[in-house]
């Protein structure tokens, strides 16, 4: 009925002629009726209604979560692909706490490769957490000092708080974690070589394996 009401004024439409009151009332009346039926129907559908997040369109987030990180991520740390994709999906569907967890998993994977690249064969710290990597790099003076400090800052501001079971991230916090992750992994990726695609891209082996 709403469609018919609109078509009834569009068919003989003249841009120089104003709609009369009855035509306007008919369209508004049918619009309100349509709205009630539409909202009732859509509330029963198994569907997510989501909007863009920041400057990112929903479809982009769902299909290209790795695009939230530096362009060299998958070439230098291909094992991060699944977590990076989940970051985009979780952000799109407003699963912000899960988005945070996957974001930190991406950073942790890159940190492992960075350690293996700059540690000269030293065993990885135990446990292999961001805080442990940052502390040991600082103590042993390994890699770039900016990497140490950025890892340490990310651990204090984002990673450690999220470890508490009562912490639930909101959209702004999830976006902040992604932004911090971008700034943390960028200098680490610069120090890493591309992984040959013919090797199946395994993680670098632990020196004592």
């Amino acid at each position: 009925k709403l469609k018919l009401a609109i078509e009834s004024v569009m068919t003989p439409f003249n841009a120089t002629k104003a709609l009369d009151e009855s035509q306007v009332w008919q369209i508004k009346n049918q619009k309100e009726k349509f709205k009630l039926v539409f909202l009732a129907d859509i509330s029963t559908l198994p569907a997510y209604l989501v909007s863009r997040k920041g400057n990112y369109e929903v479809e982009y987030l769902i299909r290209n979560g790795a695009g939230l990180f530096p362009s060299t991520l998958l070439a230098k740390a291909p094992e991060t692909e699944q977590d990076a994709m989940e970051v985009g999906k979780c952000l799109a569907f407003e699963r912000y706490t899960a988005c945070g967890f996957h974001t930190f998993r991406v950073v942790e994977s890159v940190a492992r490769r960075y350690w293996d690249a700059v540690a000269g064969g030293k065993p990885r710290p135990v446990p292999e957490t961001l805080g442990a990597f940052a502390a040991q790099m600082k103590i042993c003076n390994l890699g770039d000092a900016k990497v140490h400090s950025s890892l340490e800052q990310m651990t204090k501001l984002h990673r450690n708080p999220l470890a508490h079971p009562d912490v639930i991230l909101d959209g702004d916090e999830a976006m902040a974690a992604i932004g911090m992750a971008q700034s943390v992994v960028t200098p680490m990726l610069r120090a890493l070589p591309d992984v040959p695609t013919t090797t199946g891209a395994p993680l670098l082996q632990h020196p004592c394996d």
Side-chain angles (χ1 to χ4, degrees), residues 3 6 9 23 26 43 55 64 96 118 138-139 172-173 178:
K3 181 173 179 289
I6 295 173
V9 299
Q23 291 173 315
Q26 181 70 8
S43 66
N55 292 326
N64 189 32
Y96 298 127
V118 302
K138 187 174 182 179
I139 292 171
D172 290 338
E173 291 168 328
I178 294 172

Side-chain angles (χ1 to χ4, degrees), residues 99-140:
C99 178
F101 276 111
H102 286 290
T103 298
F104 297 127
R105 282 170 60 94
V106 170
V107 180
E108 288 164 357
S109 294
V110 176
R112 293 188 191 99
R113 285 194 175 270
Y114 183 76
W115 173 278
D116 292 340
V118 302
K122 292 181 182 293
R124 294 174 185 166
V126 179
E128 296 180 9
T129 61
L130 295 181
F133 278 119
Q136 289 302 309
M137 287 178 190
K138 187 174 182 179
I139 292 171
C140 301

Side-chain angles (χ1 to χ4, degrees), residues 180-202:
M180 185 70 180
Q182 292 170 341
S183 65
V184 170
V185 301
T186 296
M188 290 195 289
L189 289 172
R190 290 198 191 106
L192 301 180
D194 290 352
V195 175
T197 56
T198 56
T199 63

Side-chain angles (χ1 to χ4, degrees), residues 23-207:
Q23 291 173 315
V24 173
W25 178 87
Q26 181 70 8
I27 293 174
K28 286 185 174 181
N29 183 51
Q30 294 302 331
K31 183 201 73 170
E32 291 303 318
K33 291 181 179 179
F34 171 80
K35 182 178 179 180
L36 289 174
V37 176
F38 177 73
L39 292 178
D41 286 347
I42 205 170
S43 66
T44 64
L45 295 177
Y48 254 103
L49 295 179
V50 294
S51 59
R52 62 185 297 165
K53 303 299 184 296
N55 292 326
Y56 300 107
E57 295 290 348
V58 171
E59 185 175 358
Y60 176 85
L61 292 174
I62 294 172
R63 297 181 181 276
N64 189 32
L68 294 168
F69 299 92
S71 59
T72 58
L73 177 68
L74 299 187
K76 298 189 175 187
E79 70 276 7
T80 62
E81 181 175 11
Q82 184 173 354
D83 280 309
M85 292 297 293
E86 289 302 313
V87 170
K89 293 175 184 177
C90 290
L91 182 61
F93 292 111
E94 300 173 7
R95 311 304 296 172
Y96 298 127
T97 303
C99 178
F101 276 111
H102 286 290
T103 298
F104 297 127
R105 282 170 60 94
V106 170
V107 180
E108 288 164 357
S109 294
V110 176
R112 293 188 191 99
R113 285 194 175 270
Y114 183 76
W115 173 278
D116 292 340
V118 302
K122 292 181 182 293
R124 294 174 185 166
V126 179
E128 296 180 9
T129 61
L130 295 181
F133 278 119
Q136 289 302 309
M137 287 178 190
K138 187 174 182 179
I139 292 171
C140 301
N141 194 27
L142 301 174
D144 190 339
K146 293 180 180 179
V147 171
H148 315 163
S149 60
S150 60
L151 282 174
E152 186 177 30
Q153 185 180 22
M154 185 175 197
T155 300
K156 290 180 179 179
L157 296 181
H158 299 283
R159 184 65 183 92
N160 286 349
L162 189 58
H164 294 280
D166 58 332
V167 173
I168 304 295
L169 296 187
D170 61 24
D172 290 338
E173 291 168 328
M175 291 288 289
I178 294 172
M180 185 70 180
Q182 292 170 341
S183 65
V184 170
V185 301
T186 296
M188 290 195 289
L189 289 172
R190 290 198 191 106
L192 301 180
D194 290 352
V195 175
T197 56
T198 56
T199 63
L203 274 172
L204 296 177
Q205 290 298 306
H206 193 292

